[in-house]
Amino acid sequence: MPYSYDPQNIFAKILRGEIPNDTVLETAYTLAFRDIRPQAPQHVLVIPKGPYVTHDHFCAKASEAEIVDFARTFGRVCELLGVCPGEGGNGFRTIANAGADAVQEVPHFHMHILAGRPLGPMLMRAG
Ligand code: AMP
């Protein structure tokens, strides 16, 4: 089934300035802001400004300018957080939930950056 973007999702409202956010970095195509319910000392969400539902949707439909901007902004956010292992940081984990099995809560593509403590194994075994 083709993706259908819900313009009433919470990140769309953030992008329209209808609700506040704690911005880390903003560019023409990308916004990075702190997660409202942090799961680690550093928990930042990086989102494209375009209407993409999941990571695969973004990769398939976004323009090259949007994709390059997203990737570069992601890297700059990691640098700003001081978590890059190649620059003396202690590392980070990236998560992008997509759809029901991944329990995606907000249907606007977002990349979580989690850092600031040992994060344990990649997945908890739930069944
Ligand atoms: P996911 O389950 O991958 O869709 O994650 C959605 C994330 O968005 C969760 O970690 C929420 O805490 C976060 N979130 C929901 N509403 C807001 C908000 N208004 N500002 C910042 N983060 C939010």
Side-chain angles (χ1 to χ4, degrees):
M1 200 162 72
Y3 284 112
S4 156
Y5 183 79
D6 171 13
Q8 293 311 317
N9 80 74
I10 195 104
F11 294 170
K13 291 179 180 177
I14 285 176
L15 287 167
R16 289 195 296 268
E18 293 169 9
I19 59 172
N21 75 91
D22 185 357
T23 298
V24 175
L25 189 61
E26 180 169 12
T27 68
Y29 295 111
T30 308
L31 178 67
F33 55 99
R34 295 200 176 273
D35 196 292
I36 205 165
R37 293 191 302 270
Q39 306 287 316
Q42 303 269 31
H43 187 169
V44 172
L45 303 171
V46 186
I47 70 171
K49 292 185 174 179
Y52 306 107
V53 179
T54 60
H55 196 179
D56 60 289
H57 188 208
F58 177 72
C59 291
K61 298 294 184 190
S63 68
E64 297 201 0
E66 290 175 294
I67 291 171
V68 168
D69 186 79
F70 185 88
R72 297 290 189 208
T73 303
F74 180 91
R76 285 173 62 201
V77 170
C78 292
E79 285 174 13
L80 285 173
L81 298 177
V83 299
C84 302
E87 296 173 5
N90 277 346
F92 60 93
R93 179 167 295 157
T94 303
I95 297 173
N97 294 314
D101 278 2
V103 198
Q104 182 180 6
E105 180 189 324
V106 180
H108 180 113
F109 167 47
H110 51 283
M111 203 80 104
H112 296 256
I113 301 173
L114 297 143
R117 66 169 170 80
L119 295 164
M122 187 165 62
L123 291 177
M124 298 241 298
R125 187 161 179 82

